[in-house]
Amino acid sequence: MSENPIRLTELAHGGGCGCKLAPAVLQGLLAGQPAAGPFAQLLVGTETADDAAVWQVDENLAVIATTDFFMPMVDDPRDFGRIAAANAISDVYAMGGRPVMALAILGMPINKLAPEVIREILAGGASVCAEAGIPVAGGHSIDAPEPIYGLAVIGLIHPDRVRRNSGARPGDALILTKGLGIGIYSAAIKQGVLPQGGTDSAYAEMLASTTLLNRIGTELAEDPAVHGITDVTGFGILGHALEMARGSGVTVTLRLADLPWLRHAPELAERGVFTGASTRNWASYGEAVTLPEGLAEGPRRLLTDPQTSGGLLVACAPEAAEGLAARIRAAGYPLARIVGGVSAGEPRVVVAG
């Protein structure tokens, strides 16, 4: 990592998608807001807590719009920029779209950070946008007490290919494309207990996952066997699975033994390394989740762990699941696997042992 006399994570009270407001708090804030209104062209708004807004231009074209930003979860400024950019672009991929342009969102304590550090953050974000094949075409910056960086991203899609988090159907299988445990790793960084070890370090593992673009979502949306997609971020696997369950009016079952984890995440969780967001997440939606009897606190914290630039949760026809999972792994997502299924019933999440 580059040398920096001030640790970025020391300047922020939270980091990554762990900064997100707890689901219950967010619901309370949005409860009094007026509905988007009867706009026939607004295909996706706020009604199902989906990943991005979608506006239909004509019968062959729709525009996807999203924004995401947060405080640093790592101390290397370029890495911070790369992670934040990959996380923001992910929302377009989660809808099945193709990103075309980004705008930078920047808030920095300019009296505390050297200009070259801020330039590195922007350069990191621009490098991931270049990897996605899009320009950073502008943006907005402010002097802020804590470092904040992210993107507003515009994408395009055919209206028939939009994949919502509310598309899951009874009988569907669920595929997760990346490993879980990013929040636990970020907490370990702050506590100075993240395992080290050269290119095979836990940090390298985390960086490889969080900067891996979810571009497979564009390809998945072209397959009629794929019924719904969402990305797993700040509310953890339980929270985003619950959003899918509520939006689709189904019960989602996750098999604990099949969920993929980053290498050191289970051990760190057992040692009590976790984020405050994990506790807030459980307090917000725990009543809508059924856990295995006697589940220990460590595994439960893994399930509520906030992910930053996490994987895609994909609901698909059961007969296509094995082939799709293999295709996703071959496309560069080695931890992708079938992790559960969908059934008719009360909108909730059931975790099977």
Side-chain angles (χ1 to χ4, degrees):
M1 291 186 282
S2 60
E3 293 185 3
N4 179 16
I6 298 178
R7 293 182 61 190
L8 287 176
T9 54
E10 291 178 350
L11 297 175
H13 74 278
C17 285
C19 297
K20 291 177 71 169
L21 294 177
V25 174
L26 183 59
Q27 289 170 8
L29 293 174
L30 295 178
Q33 300 302 310
F39 294 97
Q41 289 168 284
L42 184 63
L43 301 185
V44 183
T46 60
E47 59 279 356
T48 58
D50 222 319
D51 297 298
V54 181
W55 182 271
Q56 185 168 354
V57 177
D58 56 39
E59 62 181 11
N60 295 312
L61 181 66
V63 174
I64 302 171
T66 184
T67 184
D68 214 315
F69 52 89
F70 47 64
M71 290 166 278
M73 57 186 288
V74 297
D75 291 312
D76 185 289
R78 181 174 284 262
D79 290 346
F80 170 37
R82 293 174 65 203
I83 294 168
N87 180 75
I89 298 170
S90 177
D91 286 340
V92 172
Y93 292 132
M95 303 303 298
R98 175 176 60 88
V100 294
M101 181 176 65
L103 303 174
I105 299 167
L106 184 74
M108 291 289 148
I110 57 175
N111 61 330
K112 295 180 181 178
L113 288 178
E116 56 267 25
V117 172
I118 300 172
R119 283 196 293 267
E120 279 290 287
I121 294 170
L122 293 171
S127 70
V128 166
C129 287
E131 184 182 344
I134 65 173
V136 179
H140 185 66
S141 59
I142 62 169
D143 185 3
E146 296 181 84
I148 297 169
Y149 175 69
L151 301 173
V153 188
I154 301 298
L156 300 176
I157 193 170
H158 190 286
D160 293 343
R161 290 180 178 168
V162 174
R163 292 297 185 269
R164 304 183 59 161
N165 67 358
S166 57
R169 306 174 187 176
D172 277 355
L174 292 174
I175 299 170
L176 183 62
T177 65
K178 288 186 185 181
L180 302 164
I182 296 297
I184 288 170
Y185 273 35
S186 67
I189 289 174
K190 275 205 162 189
Q191 296 176 29
V193 297
L194 189 71
Q196 301 299 311
T199 57
D200 193 38
S201 69
Y203 183 85
E205 181 191 20
M206 181 183 76
L207 191 63
S209 180
T210 53
T211 59
L212 176 61
L213 289 168
N214 280 324
R215 63 171 86 239
I216 190 66
T218 306
E219 181 182 332
L220 292 173
E222 298 174 359
D223 193 324
V226 174
H227 302 146
I229 306 175
T230 191
D231 64 351
V232 179
T233 54
F235 301 154
I237 183 64
L238 288 185
H240 292 283
L242 182 59
E243 287 182 339
M244 180 175 277
R246 286 172 170 167
S248 306
V250 297
T251 296
V252 165
T253 297
L254 299 172
R255 295 188 296 269
L256 185 60
D258 292 333
L259 291 171
W261 308 106
L262 299 185
R263 212 164 48 241
H264 301 281
E267 174 199 353
L268 288 167
E270 288 294 338
R271 289 166 52 189
V273 178
F274 62 96
T275 70
S278 176
T279 301
R280 294 192 297 272
N281 282 343
W282 181 249
S284 293
Y285 55 63
E287 79 288 344
V289 176
T290 302
L291 297 177
E293 187 175 353
L295 185 70
E297 191 69 9
R300 202 274 294 156
R301 286 172 177 160
L302 289 167
L303 293 167
T304 57
D305 184 52
Q307 305 306 290
T308 300
S309 192
L312 300 178
L313 184 64
V314 182
C316 66
E319 65 274 11
E322 290 287 355
L324 281 170
R327 202 166 98 203
I328 295 168
R329 287 192 294 271
Y333 305 82
L335 294 183
R337 64 184 68 173
I338 301 169
V339 296
V342 179
S343 60
E346 178 189 358
R348 64 185 297 108
V349 176
V350 176
V351 180

